[in-house]
Amino acid sequence: MITALVGAQWGDEGKGKVIDIMASKADVVVRATGGNNAGHTVVSGGKTYKLHLVPSGILYEGTVCCIGPGCVVDPLALLREMEEVEANGTALDGLRIDYRAHIVMPYHLLIDELSENAKGENGIGTTKKGIGPCYMDKAERVGIRFYDILHPDVFADKLKTNLAAKDKYIGGMFGYKNTALRRARLKFGEIFKAYTEAGKKLAKYAADTTVIAYDAHKEGKNVLFEGAQGTLLDLDMGTYPFVTSSHPVTGGFCVSGGIGPTFIGECIGIAKSYTTRVGKGPFPTELFDYTGDFIREAGFEYGTTTGRPRRCGWLDLVILRYAVRVNGLTGIALNKLDTLTGLKELKVCVGYDKNGEVITDFPADIHELEDCKPIYETLPGWTEDITAAKSLGDLPQAARDYLAFIEKHIGCKIKLVGVGPDRTQSFEA
C-alpha cells in the first residue's frame, strides 16, 4: 500500500518524527517535493538527526529512501548532510536520487538572497536556499537536472548558457553586473568543477525513483510518501504569496513523485496540538502574550533549517478542516500534546468572524484572511506529565476531551498522538 504523509498546517508539524515511526514498516520512502529549505528533526537512541534532503526513513536498515523527481537538490548541501548522517553511524546504502530532480545552482542562491533583500519589509521570509529561483528555472524549462551533472558535456553547455543569462538578469534586476560579488560567486570553472565532482560522488545513488516506487507497490510492499512543508505553504492552496514554490499536498505526490492517484491508499495529515508559523503572512490565532511564549519555549519552537523562532498560537480547526478537504485525509497524527501541559485552559478556534459574518471555510486569499478574527471555544487544561503515556487511557480526562473535541470538529480520526520528541513517545489512538 502507498501511504501519503502531509503537513496539515504551515509546516514544522513534526513530520520527521511521524515519518520515522511509520518508516519502520515501509519498504520504500519517497521525498517528492521541496529542497533543503525543509527540515525534519528525528530523535532516536539519544541522537538527534536534522534531515533536510535525506528522507527520514534512512534510519532503518534495508529501507530504500528516494529523493524524487519533484525535489530540487543542492548537491553540495546534500553531501554535507550525508556526512553528518554517516557520522552518526547510519549507512546511506538505501539512498536513491531521481535523474529528473532539478539542481540548485550558486546563481539560484545569489538571486534568492538579492531578491529577498531587495523586497525589504515586503519580503516573504524565504530561507534563501535558492529553492524558489530553482523552481523558476524549472518552469522556464532552462533548469539543470541531476542527470546533467552526471554527464559533464551536457552540464558544461547548459551551465555556460545559464551563467550568461543569469549575469544579464542579475545585472539588470539588482545592479550587480561586473561587480566583485558576481565575479566571485558565478565563475564557470569553479562551479563546473565543484558540481561535477559532487556528481561523481552521488552517481551511485542515481535512479528512476518512480520505477522503484511503482514496482514496490505492485509487489505488495509498503511505500511511504514523505511530505515537506505544509498544506498552507502550497503554491496554489496556501496563503499566497507567503508560500513555498512546490506542492506539499497529497496531489503533489502524484505529480512530483510520479505515482497515479488511485495507487494512494491512505493519506495522513500531521499537525501540532497548537499552531505555529515561520515567516510573514496572516495568522488568526497568533499569540503575543505569556501563553505564546510558553508554547514556544515548552515546544522548543525554533526552525530546524533557519533557527528562527516560530510564531505560536492556539489550535485552528478551520485550518485543519481545510487540510482534511484539500488532501483527502483519512487520518491525523497530532504531535506535541505534551507542550500544552501546565496551561489552565485551552482555546480552540472553531470559526472566524469576518466583519461580523461567521465563516467556517478557510478563505481563498490572504486579504480575506487578514480580516478574520478567531472564534474560540475554551476547554480545561491539565497539569499532569503525559510524556510517558502509551495509550489514550494514560492521558488525563482533559487531554482526552481535547482530542475528542478536535475529531468532532474536523470530521477526521486522530490515529497517532505524540507526547514527546523521541520516536517512542507516541501511541496509536
Side-chain angles (χ1 to χ4, degrees), residues 171-207:
M173 285 293 294
F174 309 108
Y176 274 79
K177 187 175 183 180
N178 297 322
T179 65
L181 176 62
R182 189 204 65 78
R183 289 195 300 270
R185 293 176 62 173
L186 301 184
K187 292 182 179 179
F188 171 84
E190 292 181 3
I191 296 173
F192 181 78
K193 180 181 179 182
Y195 278 66
T196 51
E197 288 181 355
K200 290 177 183 177
K201 294 177 182 178
L202 295 171
K204 66 179 181 179
Y205 303 106

PDB file of all heavy atoms in Angstrom, residues 171-207:
ATOM      1  N   GLY A 171      22.401  41.624 -13.290  1.00  0.00           N
ATOM      2  CA  GLY A 171      22.814  42.992 -13.551  1.00  0.00           C
ATOM      3  C   GLY A 171      21.632  43.916 -13.759  1.00  0.00           C
ATOM      4  O   GLY A 171      21.586  45.022 -13.201  1.00  0.00           O
ATOM      5  N   GLY A 172      20.656  43.462 -14.536  1.00  0.00           N
ATOM      6  CA  GLY A 172      19.502  44.298 -14.831  1.00  0.00           C
ATOM      7  C   GLY A 172      18.584  44.486 -13.648  1.00  0.00           C
ATOM      8  O   GLY A 172      18.063  45.576 -13.412  1.00  0.00           O
ATOM      9  N   MET A 173      18.402  43.415 -12.854  1.00  0.00           N
ATOM     10  CA  MET A 173      17.467  43.475 -11.736  1.00  0.00           C
ATOM     11  C   MET A 173      18.060  44.102 -10.485  1.00  0.00           C
ATOM     12  O   MET A 173      17.398  44.842  -9.760  1.00  0.00           O
ATOM     13  CB  MET A 173      16.977  42.063 -11.398  1.00  0.00           C
ATOM     14  CG  MET A 173      15.970  41.493 -12.385  1.00  0.00           C
ATOM     15  SD  MET A 173      14.379  42.382 -12.370  1.00  0.00           S
ATOM     16  CE  MET A 173      13.785  41.995 -10.737  1.00  0.00           C
ATOM     17  N   PHE A 174      19.335  43.810 -10.224  1.00  0.00           N
ATOM     18  CA  PHE A 174      19.902  44.189  -8.936  1.00  0.00           C
ATOM     19  C   PHE A 174      21.148  45.068  -9.036  1.00  0.00           C
ATOM     20  O   PHE A 174      21.730  45.441  -8.025  1.00  0.00           O
ATOM     21  CB  PHE A 174      20.239  42.927  -8.126  1.00  0.00           C
ATOM     22  CG  PHE A 174      19.093  41.954  -8.021  1.00  0.00           C
ATOM     23  CD1 PHE A 174      19.117  40.748  -8.710  1.00  0.00           C
ATOM     24  CD2 PHE A 174      17.983  42.250  -7.247  1.00  0.00           C
ATOM     25  CE1 PHE A 174      18.070  39.850  -8.617  1.00  0.00           C
ATOM     26  CE2 PHE A 174      16.925  41.361  -7.154  1.00  0.00           C
ATOM     27  CZ  PHE A 174      16.964  40.163  -7.833  1.00  0.00           C
ATOM     28  N   GLY A 175      21.585  45.376 -10.274  1.00  0.00           N
ATOM     29  CA  GLY A 175      22.739  46.233 -10.426  1.00  0.00           C
ATOM     30  C   GLY A 175      24.047  45.591 -10.029  1.00  0.00           C
ATOM     31  O   GLY A 175      24.993  46.283  -9.638  1.00  0.00           O
ATOM     32  N   TYR A 176      24.110  44.264 -10.121  1.00  0.00           N
ATOM     33  CA  TYR A 176      25.318  43.577  -9.693  1.00  0.00           C
ATOM     34  C   TYR A 176      26.209  43.135 -10.863  1.00  0.00           C
ATOM     35  O   TYR A 176      27.134  42.385 -10.686  1.00  0.00           O
ATOM     36  CB  TYR A 176      24.961  42.341  -8.857  1.00  0.00           C
ATOM     37  CG  TYR A 176      24.765  42.674  -7.402  1.00  0.00           C
ATOM     38  CD1 TYR A 176      23.593  43.249  -6.961  1.00  0.00           C
ATOM     39  CD2 TYR A 176      25.770  42.432  -6.482  1.00  0.00           C
ATOM     40  CE1 TYR A 176      23.397  43.573  -5.630  1.00  0.00           C
ATOM     41  CE2 TYR A 176      25.594  42.748  -5.147  1.00  0.00           C
ATOM     42  CZ  TYR A 176      24.413  43.315  -4.727  1.00  0.00           C
ATOM     43  OH  TYR A 176      24.236  43.631  -3.403  1.00  0.00           O
ATOM     44  N   LYS A 177      25.927  43.596 -12.054  1.00  0.00           N
ATOM     45  CA  LYS A 177      26.703  43.173 -13.210  1.00  0.00           C
ATOM     46  C   LYS A 177      28.145  43.665 -13.090  1.00  0.00           C
ATOM     47  O   LYS A 177      28.401  44.828 -12.769  1.00  0.00           O
ATOM     48  CB  LYS A 177      26.071  43.719 -14.494  1.00  0.00           C
ATOM     49  CG  LYS A 177      26.732  43.189 -15.763  1.00  0.00           C
ATOM     50  CD  LYS A 177      25.982  43.658 -16.991  1.00  0.00           C
ATOM     51  CE  LYS A 177      26.607  43.073 -18.251  1.00  0.00           C
ATOM     52  NZ  LYS A 177      25.876  43.523 -19.459  1.00  0.00           N
ATOM     53  N   ASN A 178      29.068  42.746 -13.346  1.00  0.00           N
ATOM     54  CA  ASN A 178      30.510  43.042 -13.333  1.00  0.00           C
ATOM     55  C   ASN A 178      31.026  43.514 -11.976  1.00  0.00           C
ATOM     56  O   ASN A 178      32.065  44.151 -11.877  1.00  0.00           O
ATOM     57  CB  ASN A 178      30.865  44.090 -14.400  1.00  0.00           C
ATOM     58  CG  ASN A 178      30.582  43.598 -15.806  1.00  0.00           C
ATOM     59  OD1 ASN A 178      30.806  42.423 -16.097  1.00  0.00           O
ATOM     60  ND2 ASN A 178      30.074  44.476 -16.660  1.00  0.00           N
ATOM     61  N   THR A 179      30.316  43.211 -10.912  1.00  0.00           N
ATOM     62  CA  THR A 179      30.810  43.554  -9.582  1.00  0.00           C
ATOM     63  C   THR A 179      31.633  42.404  -9.023  1.00  0.00           C
ATOM     64  O   THR A 179      31.606  41.272  -9.519  1.00  0.00           O
ATOM     65  CB  THR A 179      29.650  43.836  -8.625  1.00  0.00           C
ATOM     66  OG1 THR A 179      28.911  42.616  -8.443  1.00  0.00           O
ATOM     67  CG2 THR A 179      28.749  44.926  -9.169  1.00  0.00           C
ATOM     68  N   ALA A 180      32.350  42.681  -7.953  1.00  0.00           N
ATOM     69  CA  ALA A 180      33.183  41.660  -7.333  1.00  0.00           C
ATOM     70  C   ALA A 180      32.343  40.495  -6.814  1.00  0.00           C
ATOM     71  O   ALA A 180      32.757  39.339  -6.878  1.00  0.00           O
ATOM     72  CB  ALA A 180      33.987  42.274  -6.188  1.00  0.00           C
ATOM     73  N   LEU A 181      31.138  40.826  -6.319  1.00  0.00           N
ATOM     74  CA  LEU A 181      30.268  39.778  -5.794  1.00  0.00           C
ATOM     75  C   LEU A 181      29.883  38.794  -6.884  1.00  0.00           C
ATOM     76  O   LEU A 181      29.960  37.578  -6.696  1.00  0.00           O
ATOM     77  CB  LEU A 181      29.011  40.398  -5.192  1.00  0.00           C
ATOM     78  CG  LEU A 181      27.950  39.410  -4.669  1.00  0.00           C
ATOM     79  CD1 LEU A 181      28.529  38.574  -3.538  1.00  0.00           C
ATOM     80  CD2 LEU A 181      26.714  40.157  -4.191  1.00  0.00           C
ATOM     81  N   ARG A 182      29.456  39.299  -8.031  1.00  0.00           N
ATOM     82  CA  ARG A 182      29.054  38.406  -9.114  1.00  0.00           C
ATOM     83  C   ARG A 182      30.230  37.585  -9.603  1.00  0.00           C
ATOM     84  O   ARG A 182      30.125  36.374  -9.815  1.00  0.00           O
ATOM     85  CB  ARG A 182      28.463  39.219 -10.274  1.00  0.00           C
ATOM     86  CG  ARG A 182      27.826  38.334 -11.350  1.00  0.00           C
ATOM     87  CD  ARG A 182      27.767  39.006 -12.688  1.00  0.00           C
ATOM     88  NE  ARG A 182      29.092  39.263 -13.227  1.00  0.00           N
ATOM     89  CZ  ARG A 182      29.851  38.340 -13.803  1.00  0.00           C
ATOM     90  NH1 ARG A 182      29.443  37.110 -13.913  1.00  0.00           N
ATOM     91  NH2 ARG A 182      31.041  38.652 -14.274  1.00  0.00           N
ATOM     92  N   ARG A 183      31.376  38.235  -9.788  1.00  0.00           N
ATOM     93  CA  ARG A 183      32.554  37.527 -10.293  1.00  0.00           C
ATOM     94  C   ARG A 183      33.008  36.440  -9.324  1.00  0.00           C
ATOM     95  O   ARG A 183      33.443  35.368  -9.733  1.00  0.00           O
ATOM     96  CB  ARG A 183      33.691  38.514 -10.546  1.00  0.00           C
ATOM     97  CG  ARG A 183      33.455  39.437 -11.741  1.00  0.00           C
ATOM     98  CD  ARG A 183      34.747  40.125 -12.168  1.00  0.00           C
ATOM     99  NE  ARG A 183      35.305  40.933 -11.096  1.00  0.00           N
ATOM    100  CZ  ARG A 183      35.010  42.213 -10.893  1.00  0.00           C
ATOM    101  NH1 ARG A 183      34.143  42.813 -11.687  1.00  0.00           N
ATOM    102  NH2 ARG A 183      35.587  42.885  -9.917  1.00  0.00           N
ATOM    103  N   ALA A 184      32.870  36.716  -8.025  1.00  0.00           N
ATOM    104  CA  ALA A 184      33.332  35.755  -7.029  1.00  0.00           C
ATOM    105  C   ALA A 184      32.425  34.529  -6.943  1.00  0.00           C
ATOM    106  O   ALA A 184      32.903  33.418  -6.686  1.00  0.00           O
ATOM    107  CB  ALA A 184      33.410  36.432  -5.661  1.00  0.00           C
ATOM    108  N   ARG A 185      31.137  34.709  -7.179  1.00  0.00           N
ATOM    109  CA  ARG A 185      30.192  33.625  -6.937  1.00  0.00           C
ATOM    110  C   ARG A 185      29.685  32.942  -8.197  1.00  0.00           C
ATOM    111  O   ARG A 185      29.036  31.900  -8.101  1.00  0.00           O
ATOM    112  CB  ARG A 185      29.009  34.157  -6.124  1.00  0.00           C
ATOM    113  CG  ARG A 185      29.446  34.564  -4.721  1.00  0.00           C
ATOM    114  CD  ARG A 185      28.356  35.187  -3.899  1.00  0.00           C
ATOM    115  NE  ARG A 185      27.240  34.287  -3.654  1.00  0.00           N
ATOM    116  CZ  ARG A 185      26.228  34.589  -2.830  1.00  0.00           C
ATOM    117  NH1 ARG A 185      26.249  35.742  -2.180  1.00  0.00           N
ATOM    118  NH2 ARG A 185      25.229  33.759  -2.674  1.00  0.00           N
ATOM    119  N   LEU A 186      29.954  33.486  -9.356  1.00  0.00           N
ATOM    120  CA  LEU A 186      29.438  32.897 -10.587  1.00  0.00           C
ATOM    121  C   LEU A 186      30.548  32.602 -11.590  1.00  0.00           C
ATOM    122  O   LEU A 186      30.461  32.949 -12.762  1.00  0.00           O
ATOM    123  CB  LEU A 186      28.381  33.825 -11.200  1.00  0.00           C
ATOM    124  CG  LEU A 186      27.164  34.138 -10.337  1.00  0.00           C
ATOM    125  CD1 LEU A 186      26.161  34.994 -11.095  1.00  0.00           C
ATOM    126  CD2 LEU A 186      26.493  32.869  -9.835  1.00  0.00           C
ATOM    127  N   LYS A 187      31.605  31.953 -11.128  1.00  0.00           N
ATOM    128  CA  LYS A 187      32.710  31.566 -12.004  1.00  0.00           C
ATOM    129  C   LYS A 187      32.436  30.199 -12.608  1.00  0.00           C
ATOM    130  O   LYS A 187      32.233  29.219 -11.879  1.00  0.00           O
ATOM    131  CB  LYS A 187      34.019  31.546 -11.227  1.00  0.00           C
ATOM    132  CG  LYS A 187      34.508  32.919 -10.780  1.00  0.00           C
ATOM    133  CD  LYS A 187      35.838  32.797 -10.049  1.00  0.00           C
ATOM    134  CE  LYS A 187      36.368  34.159  -9.621  1.00  0.00           C
ATOM    135  NZ  LYS A 187      37.655  34.037  -8.891  1.00  0.00           N
ATOM    136  N   PHE A 188      32.487  30.123 -13.931  1.00  0.00           N
ATOM    137  CA  PHE A 188      32.190  28.861 -14.604  1.00  0.00           C
ATOM    138  C   PHE A 188      33.097  27.743 -14.132  1.00  0.00           C
ATOM    139  O   PHE A 188      32.623  26.654 -13.766  1.00  0.00           O
ATOM    140  CB  PHE A 188      32.319  29.013 -16.129  1.00  0.00           C
ATOM    141  CG  PHE A 188      32.227  27.698 -16.865  1.00  0.00           C
ATOM    142  CD1 PHE A 188      31.005  27.156 -17.186  1.00  0.00           C
ATOM    143  CD2 PHE A 188      33.384  26.989 -17.199  1.00  0.00           C
ATOM    144  CE1 PHE A 188      30.912  25.929 -17.829  1.00  0.00           C
ATOM    145  CE2 PHE A 188      33.301  25.764 -17.851  1.00  0.00           C
ATOM    146  CZ  PHE A 188      32.062  25.233 -18.164  1.00  0.00           C
ATOM    147  N   GLY A 189      34.394  27.982 -14.121  1.00  0.00           N
ATOM    148  CA  GLY A 189      35.348  26.923 -13.799  1.00  0.00           C
ATOM    149  C   GLY A 189      35.139  26.343 -12.416  1.00  0.00           C
ATOM    150  O   GLY A 189      35.149  25.113 -12.229  1.00  0.00           O
ATOM    151  N   GLU A 190      34.942  27.208 -11.442  1.00  0.00           N
ATOM    152  CA  GLU A 190      34.773  26.742 -10.069  1.00  0.00           C
ATOM    153  C   GLU A 190      33.460  25.979  -9.895  1.00  0.00           C
ATOM    154  O   GLU A 190      33.420  24.941  -9.230  1.00  0.00           O
ATOM    155  CB  GLU A 190      34.826  27.928  -9.109  1.00  0.00           C
ATOM    156  CG  GLU A 190      36.200  28.586  -9.020  1.00  0.00           C
ATOM    157  CD  GLU A 190      36.215  29.747  -8.046  1.00  0.00           C
ATOM    158  OE1 GLU A 190      35.168  29.997  -7.402  1.00  0.00           O
ATOM    159  OE2 GLU A 190      37.274  30.397  -7.919  1.00  0.00           O
ATOM    160  N   ILE A 191      32.404  26.497 -10.502  1.00  0.00           N
ATOM    161  CA  ILE A 191      31.108  25.828 -10.388  1.00  0.00           C
ATOM    162  C   ILE A 191      31.134  24.483 -11.097  1.00  0.00           C
ATOM    163  O   ILE A 191      30.680  23.469 -10.554  1.00  0.00           O
ATOM    164  CB  ILE A 191      29.991  26.713 -10.967  1.00  0.00           C
ATOM    165  CG1 ILE A 191      29.852  27.995 -10.148  1.00  0.00           C
ATOM    166  CG2 ILE A 191      28.655  25.960 -10.997  1.00  0.00           C
ATOM    167  CD1 ILE A 191      28.892  29.005 -10.742  1.00  0.00           C
ATOM    168  N   PHE A 192      31.678  24.476 -12.291  1.00  0.00           N
ATOM    169  CA  PHE A 192      31.729  23.233 -13.063  1.00  0.00           C
ATOM    170  C   PHE A 192      32.502  22.160 -12.305  1.00  0.00           C
ATOM    171  O   PHE A 192      32.056  21.004 -12.210  1.00  0.00           O
ATOM    172  CB  PHE A 192      32.373  23.484 -14.427  1.00  0.00           C
ATOM    173  CG  PHE A 192      32.433  22.260 -15.300  1.00  0.00           C
ATOM    174  CD1 PHE A 192      31.308  21.820 -15.967  1.00  0.00           C
ATOM    175  CD2 PHE A 192      33.622  21.552 -15.445  1.00  0.00           C
ATOM    176  CE1 PHE A 192      31.354  20.679 -16.769  1.00  0.00           C
ATOM    177  CE2 PHE A 192      33.682  20.416 -16.237  1.00  0.00           C
ATOM    178  CZ  PHE A 192      32.549  19.975 -16.907  1.00  0.00           C
ATOM    179  N   LYS A 193      33.635  22.523 -11.748  1.00  0.00           N
ATOM    180  CA  LYS A 193      34.448  21.559 -11.015  1.00  0.00           C
ATOM    181  C   LYS A 193      33.720  21.047  -9.778  1.00  0.00           C
ATOM    182  O   LYS A 193      33.661  19.833  -9.537  1.00  0.00           O
ATOM    183  CB  LYS A 193      35.777  22.198 -10.608  1.00  0.00           C
ATOM    184  CG  LYS A 193      36.690  21.249  -9.820  1.00  0.00           C
ATOM    185  CD  LYS A 193      37.987  21.947  -9.422  1.00  0.00           C
ATOM    186  CE  LYS A 193      38.890  21.009  -8.618  1.00  0.00           C
ATOM    187  NZ  LYS A 193      40.138  21.679  -8.180  1.00  0.00           N
ATOM    188  N   ALA A 194      33.162  21.962  -8.991  1.00  0.00           N
ATOM    189  CA  ALA A 194      32.507  21.565  -7.743  1.00  0.00           C
ATOM    190  C   ALA A 194      31.313  20.652  -8.003  1.00  0.00           C
ATOM    191  O   ALA A 194      31.119  19.646  -7.299  1.00  0.00           O
ATOM    192  CB  ALA A 194      32.069  22.807  -6.970  1.00  0.00           C
ATOM    193  N   TYR A 195      30.530  20.968  -9.032  1.00  0.00           N
ATOM    194  CA  TYR A 195      29.296  20.215  -9.273  1.00  0.00           C
ATOM    195  C   TYR A 195      29.555  18.897 -10.004  1.00  0.00           C
ATOM    196  O   TYR A 195      28.827  17.921  -9.779  1.00  0.00           O
ATOM    197  CB  TYR A 195      28.284  21.087 -10.011  1.00  0.00           C
ATOM    198  CG  TYR A 195      27.523  22.001  -9.083  1.00  0.00           C
ATOM    199  CD1 TYR A 195      28.159  23.029  -8.392  1.00  0.00           C
ATOM    200  CD2 TYR A 195      26.161  21.824  -8.857  1.00  0.00           C
ATOM    201  CE1 TYR A 195      27.466  23.860  -7.519  1.00  0.00           C
ATOM    202  CE2 TYR A 195      25.452  22.648  -7.992  1.00  0.00           C
ATOM    203  CZ  TYR A 195      26.122  23.668  -7.319  1.00  0.00           C
ATOM    204  OH  TYR A 195      25.442  24.478  -6.447  1.00  0.00           O
ATOM    205  N   THR A 196      30.555  18.850 -10.855  1.00  0.00           N
ATOM    206  CA  THR A 196      30.876  17.563 -11.490  1.00  0.00           C
ATOM    207  C   THR A 196      31.505  16.620 -10.473  1.00  0.00           C
ATOM    208  O   THR A 196      31.250  15.409 -10.507  1.00  0.00           O
ATOM    209  CB  THR A 196      31.821  17.752 -12.689  1.00  0.00           C
ATOM    210  OG1 THR A 196      32.955  18.538 -12.303  1.00  0.00           O
ATOM    211  CG2 THR A 196      31.105  18.419 -13.844  1.00  0.00           C
ATOM    212  N   GLU A 197      32.306  17.157  -9.561  1.00  0.00           N
ATOM    213  CA  GLU A 197      32.869  16.314  -8.501  1.00  0.00           C
ATOM    214  C   GLU A 197      31.765  15.803  -7.582  1.00  0.00           C
ATOM    215  O   GLU A 197      31.787  14.641  -7.159  1.00  0.00           O
ATOM    216  CB  GLU A 197      33.914  17.090  -7.702  1.00  0.00           C
ATOM    217  CG  GLU A 197      35.206  17.330  -8.471  1.00  0.00           C
ATOM    218  CD  GLU A 197      36.247  18.080  -7.651  1.00  0.00           C
ATOM    219  OE1 GLU A 197      35.926  18.499  -6.517  1.00  0.00           O
ATOM    220  OE2 GLU A 197      37.381  18.223  -8.143  1.00  0.00           O
ATOM    221  N   ALA A 198      30.802  16.672  -7.291  1.00  0.00           N
ATOM    222  CA  ALA A 198      29.655  16.238  -6.486  1.00  0.00           C
ATOM    223  C   ALA A 198      28.880  15.156  -7.226  1.00  0.00           C
ATOM    224  O   ALA A 198      28.430  14.163  -6.627  1.00  0.00           O
ATOM    225  CB  ALA A 198      28.753  17.423  -6.171  1.00  0.00           C
ATOM    226  N   GLY A 199      28.720  15.329  -8.541  1.00  0.00           N
ATOM    227  CA  GLY A 199      28.030  14.340  -9.351  1.00  0.00           C
ATOM    228  C   GLY A 199      28.704  12.983  -9.300  1.00  0.00           C
ATOM    229  O   GLY A 199      28.031  11.946  -9.226  1.00  0.00           O
ATOM    230  N   LYS A 200      30.023  12.969  -9.312  1.00  0.00           N
ATOM    231  CA  LYS A 200      30.763  11.704  -9.247  1.00  0.00           C
ATOM    232  C   LYS A 200      30.501  10.996  -7.919  1.00  0.00           C
ATOM    233  O   LYS A 200      30.349   9.772  -7.869  1.00  0.00           O
ATOM    234  CB  LYS A 200      32.246  11.965  -9.425  1.00  0.00           C
ATOM    235  CG  LYS A 200      32.653  12.400 -10.830  1.00  0.00           C
ATOM    236  CD  LYS A 200      34.137  12.707 -10.900  1.00  0.00           C
ATOM    237  CE  LYS A 200      34.539  13.206 -12.289  1.00  0.00           C
ATOM    238  NZ  LYS A 200      35.980  13.577 -12.350  1.00  0.00           N
ATOM    239  N   LYS A 201      30.457  11.765  -6.836  1.00  0.00           N
ATOM    240  CA  LYS A 201      30.215  11.170  -5.529  1.00  0.00           C
ATOM    241  C   LYS A 201      28.788  10.654  -5.385  1.00  0.00           C
ATOM    242  O   LYS A 201      28.531   9.691  -4.661  1.00  0.00           O
ATOM    243  CB  LYS A 201      30.503  12.205  -4.438  1.00  0.00           C
ATOM    244  CG  LYS A 201      31.964  12.618  -4.346  1.00  0.00           C
ATOM    245  CD  LYS A 201      32.163  13.701  -3.285  1.00  0.00           C
ATOM    246  CE  LYS A 201      33.619  14.147  -3.216  1.00  0.00           C
ATOM    247  NZ  LYS A 201      33.821  15.230  -2.212  1.00  0.00           N
ATOM    248  N   LEU A 202      27.858  11.317  -6.068  1.00  0.00           N
ATOM    249  CA  LEU A 202      26.446  10.958  -5.930  1.00  0.00           C
ATOM    250  C   LEU A 202      25.954   9.989  -7.001  1.00  0.00           C
ATOM    251  O   LEU A 202      24.823   9.501  -6.922  1.00  0.00           O
ATOM    252  CB  LEU A 202      25.587  12.229  -5.980  1.00  0.00           C
ATOM    253  CG  LEU A 202      25.781  13.229  -4.829  1.00  0.00           C
ATOM    254  CD1 LEU A 202      25.037  14.529  -5.122  1.00  0.00           C
ATOM    255  CD2 LEU A 202      25.314  12.631  -3.510  1.00  0.00           C
ATOM    256  N   ALA A 203      26.795   9.712  -8.000  1.00  0.00           N
ATOM    257  CA  ALA A 203      26.367   8.916  -9.157  1.00  0.00           C
ATOM    258  C   ALA A 203      25.841   7.541  -8.763  1.00  0.00           C
ATOM    259  O   ALA A 203      24.883   7.032  -9.364  1.00  0.00           O
ATOM    260  CB  ALA A 203      27.521   8.772 -10.148  1.00  0.00           C
ATOM    261  N   LYS A 204      26.425   6.938  -7.739  1.00  0.00           N
ATOM    262  CA  LYS A 204      25.997   5.580  -7.368  1.00  0.00           C
ATOM    263  C   LYS A 204      24.587   5.552  -6.774  1.00  0.00           C
ATOM    264  O   LYS A 204      23.985   4.479  -6.634  1.00  0.00           O
ATOM    265  CB  LYS A 204      26.995   4.963  -6.391  1.00  0.00           C
ATOM    266  CG  LYS A 204      27.075   5.644  -5.039  1.00  0.00           C
ATOM    267  CD  LYS A 204      28.084   4.912  -4.151  1.00  0.00           C
ATOM    268  CE  LYS A 204      28.197   5.547  -2.771  1.00  0.00           C
ATOM    269  NZ  LYS A 204      29.159   4.798  -1.920  1.00  0.00           N
ATOM    270  N   TYR A 205      24.056   6.727  -6.435  1.00  0.00           N
ATOM    271  CA  TYR A 205      22.718   6.802  -5.877  1.00  0.00           C
ATOM    272  C   TYR A 205      21.668   7.143  -6.940  1.00  0.00           C
ATOM    273  O   TYR A 205      20.469   7.206  -6.631  1.00  0.00           O
ATOM    274  CB  TYR A 205      22.657   7.861  -4.775  1.00  0.00           C
ATOM    275  CG  TYR A 205      23.654   7.633  -3.658  1.00  0.00           C
ATOM    276  CD1 TYR A 205      24.803   8.422  -3.541  1.00  0.00           C
ATOM    277  CD2 TYR A 205      23.461   6.622  -2.718  1.00  0.00           C
ATOM    278  CE1 TYR A 205      25.717   8.217  -2.517  1.00  0.00           C
ATOM    279  CE2 TYR A 205      24.374   6.405  -1.694  1.00  0.00           C
ATOM    280  CZ  TYR A 205      25.502   7.217  -1.600  1.00  0.00           C
ATOM    281  OH  TYR A 205      26.413   7.007  -0.585  1.00  0.00           O
ATOM    282  N   ALA A 206      22.090   7.370  -8.178  1.00  0.00           N
ATOM    283  CA  ALA A 206      21.176   7.795  -9.242  1.00  0.00           C
ATOM    284  C   ALA A 206      20.218   6.665  -9.625  1.00  0.00           C
ATOM    285  O   ALA A 206      20.616   5.499  -9.724  1.00  0.00           O
ATOM    286  CB  ALA A 206      21.965   8.244 -10.462  1.00  0.00           C
ATOM    287  N   ALA A 207      18.957   7.034  -9.837  1.00  0.00           N
ATOM    288  CA  ALA A 207      17.955   6.025 -10.194  1.00  0.00           C
ATOM    289  C   ALA A 207      16.698   6.704 -10.724  1.00  0.00           C
ATOM    290  O   ALA A 207      16.518   7.916 -10.575  1.00  0.00           O
ATOM    291  CB  ALA A 207      17.599   5.175  -8.971  1.00  0.00           C
TER     292      ALA A 207
END
